[in-house]
Amino acid sequence: MGVTKTEAYTERQLRRANLCKALGHPARIAILEHLLAADCCICQDLTGVIDLSQPTLSRHLLVLREAGLICGTVKGNSRSYCIGRERWEIARKEMSSFFGELSACK
Amino acid sequence: MGVTKTEAYTERQLRRANLCKALGHPARIAILEHLLAADCCICQDLTGVIDLSQPTLSRHLLVLREAGLICGTVKGNSRSYCIGRERWEIARKEMSSFFGELSACK
DNA sequence: CTTCAATATAGTAATATTGCTATATTGCGA
DNA sequence: TCGCAATATAGCAATATTACTATATTGAAG
């Protein structure tokens, strides 16, 4: 039905899945890569970097913001986005621990 | 349109996004956690562990298989799934390097 | 105050995803 | 062979996602 039965899962499973879901689009990966490379802050040179319309980019930025992966501060008329350091670190650990769960199975 | 403009991105961006997309559902996270905990191989006790119908679980398993995160070997009438070690390791590195890109910005 | 530039939101259309039930497929044992 | 058990696939319905154009919002400059 396109709707996920969220009530059936643990908090951690939902956290992990939601994090991955936010990262699950190349435009959002591209935005993050850009922010990682470009000293952390930027507004909308993205329209020049990623081949999507401004509103579409705005939507992707919203998804990333809701996931806490970036934060945007108002800077006059424009918004300056940067990596959300704290959440980024949490996400890094979350993924790291997930992938690290594979140890000594046969 | 629900359709992603894949042609606009780098190989790496698409790889990263596709990996995350495959992980972007709690049922798939739950399946992987189960496989990680349960010595690597299992068929369909999943129906007893995750509250979804057998066909729905089968679909999720397919997504994970297509992503290479698990592999299933036929074992008589049933299929025995386990973590796809090589791809898992690649995915771990992929994610690790992605999250590691944040170094010494301000 | 008016205008412009930068974003965000509304509205819309197309496709993707999720999940179900019903049905096929496939191997094993009687 | 026949039927059962374990999966997979087909078909369907509902919701989510992606992306567009058009429009609203908001701050700065004149």
Side-chain angles (χ1 to χ4, degrees):
Chain A
M1 302 162 176
V3 77
T4 297
K5 292 172 85 173
T6 55
E7 68 285 357
Y9 307 101
T10 67
E11 277 302 310
R12 196 180 62 172
Q13 285 164 350
L14 291 170
R15 236 177 23 240
R16 288 174 167 178
N18 284 333
L19 169 60
C20 288
K21 204 172 171 188
L23 295 172
H25 192 288
R28 294 195 286 272
I29 294 288
I31 290 171
L32 290 172
E33 286 181 357
H34 190 84
L35 285 176
L36 286 166
D39 199 22
C40 273
C41 285
I42 255 153
C43 76
Q44 210 76 332
D45 339 74
L46 290 178
T47 39
V49 178
I50 302 168
D51 180 30
L52 290 173
S53 69
Q54 175 268 318
T56 300
L57 285 167
S58 188
R59 192 69 78 85
H60 284 301
L61 286 165
L62 178 63
V63 173
L64 291 171
R65 210 163 62 222
E66 285 177 342
L69 292 168
I70 63 174
C71 48
T73 55
V74 178
K75 209 163 195 174
N77 199 7
S78 65
R79 277 78 178 172
S80 173
Y81 288 103
C82 60
I83 297 292
R85 299 308 191 96
E86 328 73 42
R87 199 70 81 85
W88 184 267
E89 193 53 29
I90 290 169
R92 196 182 62 71
K93 283 176 184 156
E94 190 91 64
M95 280 297 95
S96 172
S97 86
F98 178 63
F99 278 105
E101 277 176 30
L102 184 60
S103 46
C105 315
K106 176 192 56 120
Chain B
M1 305 157 174
V3 77
T4 297
K5 292 172 85 173
T6 55
E7 68 285 358
Y9 308 101
T10 67
E11 277 302 309
R12 196 180 63 172
Q13 285 164 349
L14 290 171
R15 239 181 14 243
R16 287 175 167 178
N18 285 334
L19 169 60
C20 289
K21 204 173 173 189
L23 295 172
H25 192 289
R28 294 195 285 270
I29 295 288
I31 290 171
L32 290 172
E33 286 181 357
H34 190 83
L35 284 177
L36 286 166
D39 199 21
C40 272
C41 283
I42 255 153
C43 76
Q44 209 76 333
D45 340 74
L46 289 177
T47 41
V49 178
I50 303 168
D51 181 29
L52 290 172
S53 69
Q54 176 268 318
T56 300
L57 284 168
S58 187
R59 191 73 76 83
H60 283 302
L61 286 166
L62 177 63
V63 173
L64 290 172
R65 211 162 62 221
E66 284 178 343
L69 292 168
I70 64 176
C71 48
T73 53
V74 178
K75 209 165 196 173
N77 199 8
S78 66
R79 276 78 178 173
S80 172
Y81 288 103
C82 61
I83 297 293
R85 300 308 191 96
E86 329 73 43
R87 198 71 81 87
W88 184 268
E89 193 54 29
I90 291 169
R92 196 181 63 70
K93 282 176 184 156
E94 190 91 64
M95 280 296 98
S96 172
S97 87
F98 177 63
F99 278 104
E101 277 176 31
L102 185 60
S103 47
C105 315
K106 175 194 58 112

